[in-house]
Amino acid sequence: MRKLLSLSILLLLFTGWACTDEETDSVILVTEEVLYTSSENVRILGRLLTNQNISLSDHGFYLSEDENFSSPIIISLGVKEGPGKFIGESNGFTNSKTYFAKAFMDLGGEIQFGNIIELKTLSPVINSYSPAFGLVGNEMIILGQNFTEDTRVFFGNSEAAITKIDFESRLHVTIPPASGVSVPIRVEVQDKILTFPINFEYQIGTYELISKFPESVRIYDNVFFQTTAGLNVGLGTVSKNSFYTKIQQFEIGSKTWKEMPFPGSPRSFAFSTKNYLGGGSAGLVPNPYEVNYSFWKINEGNFEQLKDLPFESLESIAFESNGSLYVLGGKTGNVFGLRKYNPNTGSWSFLPDSPVSFNASNANFVYQNNLYVIDSEANLWLYTTSSGVWSKIGVYPGSLGQGYGLGQVIGNKAYVGLFKRVSSIWELDLNSMKWTSKNDISGFPQDFTVAHFEKDGFLYIMRMPEITLAGNYPINLYKFDPNGL
């Protein structure tokens, strides 16, 4: 409409000039239209109409929050020679506010004004942010509209650094230190406070190095199990050259180690649970390994020998459910086999084979008496012990590395990861089946997990470098707090 008004004025002027015998001097100043507004920036078009040579010592626009222009913002464009359009621009305005604007010209010391037009600055808007989950120091992008130069962003109580603003619509933000695990993101644009409806989730999890293995050896292909007295790890081989014949027990309260003599024959690649230990290799020479069939009951610090296993077991998965022991797969014999031990009768039964082959390199855990195991393609399988049914229920989102990762349950969440040559670990909510990444563990790229345990809501993880990394490196025991900041 304003353009039409200006064009109409122009036409009237041209008509008036053409139809008069004597040329009349005319000067008309028009505040023509608002070209652009944002929350803090305004751009206005004005036009000077005249049929004479004219020189202005200054021209531009007045803007004010009231029509009387009591405290105007003045956009001065300086000297102007002759008629034509002019554009003024200024920033520093308040968002979501009505302003009045009029063109001005200084003609020989006399200030003259054009017509008054009304404009309104825009309101800031937030649309989305990405990522919705991340680490301190990572970059986040916040999308929206009409951000000002003095925009501020808060993650809970922590203010984030804004490194860049693109086109008043894209904020580049550095994720600040955490003031909580799940925090709201608040964007302040001048006097407007905008908050996203969904909280940002920090990637969390802290590791504390609490001890080292009591001997200066690197053991491989060992067993580990947990008793009331402490965390137990041992057997296997010393640098794959000789058998390690002992079991060492760590007492969490005193942070002390003590040796548990094992009365059975030495072995590597054996299976172990809280109550049972068995199988493995009776020799050090592979291709093929000599199989160890002996089978033991663990009763706190004591070991009771049971009847030998009626099958080969080398790197099998073992778990307990409803008082029975299950031994799954392995790297010798029937790699699909599933066997069940009844402690009341002392007998084994052979259950239907698993749909894919599994062994100790596949991370696994037990929840509500059912087995969860991740295959070599990262598929998550559920074995329901009551029905004997296998179901493919999801996909592990992390790296499988070279296998041999941990799987451990705390409450209704499972923690999976820390495979060989992998430092990451993921949390699986066993109600929603949603995966969440946790903070990485420190160490060497060649590290792998030797043992893992759960106690009082914490994970206890033993890690050391694989045999390809030469040198004298200890086996470190870490305490992992999944909710630590």
Side-chain angles (χ1 to χ4, degrees):
M1 289 298 293
R2 295 192 184 105
K3 277 196 168 184
L4 289 173
L5 175 63
S6 300
L7 290 171
S8 300
I9 294 170
L10 279 168
L11 288 171
L12 286 172
L13 283 170
F14 289 138
T15 304
W17 290 335
C19 296
T20 356
D21 292 333
E22 269 184 40
E23 196 174 89
T24 305
D25 292 341
S26 299
V27 178
I28 298 176
L29 183 62
V30 180
T31 313
E32 194 164 326
E33 68 171 320
V34 178
L35 297 177
Y36 170 80
T37 58
S38 68
S39 55
E40 65 175 350
N41 189 274
V42 171
R43 192 179 303 133
I44 308 174
L45 173 65
R47 194 181 297 270
L48 178 62
L49 307 172
T50 182
N51 61 352
Q52 61 176 298
N53 292 327
I54 192 169
S55 178
L56 305 178
S57 58
D58 196 7
H59 71 298
F61 299 92
Y62 277 40
L63 291 100
S64 177
E65 295 181 27
D66 64 274
E67 287 188 88
N68 297 321
F69 293 86
S70 56
S71 299
I73 299 168
I74 301 174
I75 303 174
S76 175
L77 302 177
V79 175
K80 179 174 176 57
E81 301 291 339
K85 65 181 181 180
F86 53 92
I87 297 173
E89 183 175 7
S90 185
N91 55 23
F93 294 91
T94 302
N95 69 79
S96 314
K97 183 162 288 190
T98 299
Y99 288 88
F100 299 91
K102 60 183 179 180
F104 83 89
M105 62 180 179
D106 187 342
L107 184 61
E110 179 186 357
I111 304 294
Q112 298 183 25
F113 295 98
N115 54 301
I116 297 174
I117 63 174
E118 185 178 311
L119 61 94
K120 186 172 183 179
T121 52
L122 302 179
S123 299
V125 175
I126 54 175
N127 295 327
S128 63
Y129 64 86
S130 180
F133 174 87
L135 285 165
V136 172
N138 285 359
E139 183 182 67
M140 171 186 283
I141 302 295
I142 298 177
L143 299 179
Q145 300 171 35
N146 307 312
F147 297 131
T148 60
E149 291 184 0
D150 57 356
T151 296
R152 303 172 72 187
V153 176
F154 293 85
F155 288 60
N157 297 322
S158 300
E159 185 169 4
I162 299 175
T163 58
K164 187 180 178 183
I165 303 177
D166 296 329
F167 311 111
E168 301 178 351
S169 62
R170 182 190 294 259
L171 300 176
H172 296 255
V173 173
T174 302
I175 298 173
S179 58
V181 176
S182 175
V183 296
I185 294 182
R186 184 174 78 254
V187 180
E188 296 185 2
V189 185
Q190 296 175 347
D191 60 344
K192 298 292 182 185
I193 298 177
L194 308 169
T195 304
F196 284 101
I198 299 176
N199 282 5
F200 173 79
E201 300 284 338
Y202 274 95
Q203 182 170 310
I204 57 175
T206 55
Y207 300 86
E208 178 189 359
L209 178 61
I210 60 171
S211 187
K212 299 178 186 295
F213 195 69
E215 295 186 74
S216 297
V217 294
R218 292 162 67 176
I219 61 172
Y220 297 87
D221 314 317
N222 55 283
V223 299
F224 59 92
F225 54 92
Q226 191 167 347
T227 59
T228 303
L231 315 178
N232 305 274
V233 58
L235 301 184
T237 67
V238 177
S239 300
K240 297 186 180 290
N241 294 319
S242 61
F243 281 119
Y244 186 76
T245 60
K246 296 173 286 187
I247 294 175
Q248 300 286 352
Q249 183 179 89
F250 179 75
E251 203 281 315
I252 294 175
S254 63
K255 294 186 178 180
T256 57
W257 292 88
K258 71 175 182 178
E259 184 179 318
M260 290 179 60
F262 177 62
S265 57
R267 69 196 64 210
S268 58
F269 305 114
F271 67 77
S272 59
T273 67
K274 179 181 179 180
N275 294 298
Y276 299 97
L277 186 157
S281 167
L284 296 171
V285 181
N287 302 319
Y289 282 108
E290 180 186 352
V291 176
N292 191 325
Y293 290 92
S294 65
F295 180 42
W296 295 80
K297 178 77 166 64
I298 303 171
N299 185 13
E300 290 302 321
N302 301 310
F303 296 89
E304 174 191 352
Q305 188 167 8
L306 304 175
K307 291 181 181 180
D308 284 357
L309 300 173
F311 55 89
E312 295 181 356
S313 173
L314 191 76
E315 290 199 83
S316 298
I317 292 172
F319 65 99
E320 295 183 47
S321 174
N322 291 315
S324 296
L325 170 68
Y326 293 77
V327 178
L328 171 64
K331 291 190 175 180
T332 188
N334 183 3
V335 297
F336 300 89
L338 179 59
R339 308 92 176 177
K340 179 180 178 181
Y341 177 73
N342 185 335
N344 296 321
T345 62
S347 61
W348 290 89
S349 56
F350 291 79
L351 304 178
D353 287 353
S354 60
V356 296
S357 62
F358 292 111
N359 57 62
S361 67
N362 300 110
N364 61 90
F365 57 89
V366 173
Y367 177 65
Q368 294 181 342
N369 288 308
N370 298 317
L371 174 69
Y372 294 74
V373 57
I374 295 170
D375 68 19
S376 59
E377 302 297 324
N379 297 303
L380 176 62
W381 290 86
L382 166 64
Y383 177 69
T384 306
T385 55
S386 60
S387 64
V389 173
W390 288 91
S391 306
K392 192 186 298 185
I393 60 171
V395 176
Y396 174 64
S399 169
L400 298 179
Q402 297 179 3
Y404 300 95
L406 68 82
Q408 193 77 53
V409 171
I410 300 178
N412 63 351
K413 295 179 179 179
Y415 297 88
V416 180
L418 300 183
F419 292 84
K420 185 181 289 188
R421 292 181 174 251
V422 174
S423 60
S424 60
I425 186 169
W426 289 75
E427 176 186 271
L428 174 63
D429 187 314
L430 291 162
N431 291 325
S432 66
M433 298 306 291
K434 175 186 174 183
W435 291 96
T436 302
S437 177
K438 311 302 283 188
N439 286 336
D440 290 359
I441 195 171
S442 60
F444 294 102
Q446 301 93 331
D447 278 357
F448 72 102
T449 300
V450 176
H452 55 87
F453 315 89
E454 182 275 330
K455 180 72 172 176
D456 298 329
F458 300 101
L459 287 185
Y460 292 85
I461 304 163
M462 300 190 73
R463 298 268 286 178
M464 72 170 183
E466 62 186 37
I467 200 166
T468 56
L469 187 64
N472 185 21
Y473 297 99
I475 305 174
N476 292 321
L477 175 60
Y478 296 91
K479 179 182 179 181
F480 174 63
D481 180 358
N483 299 311
L485 289 172

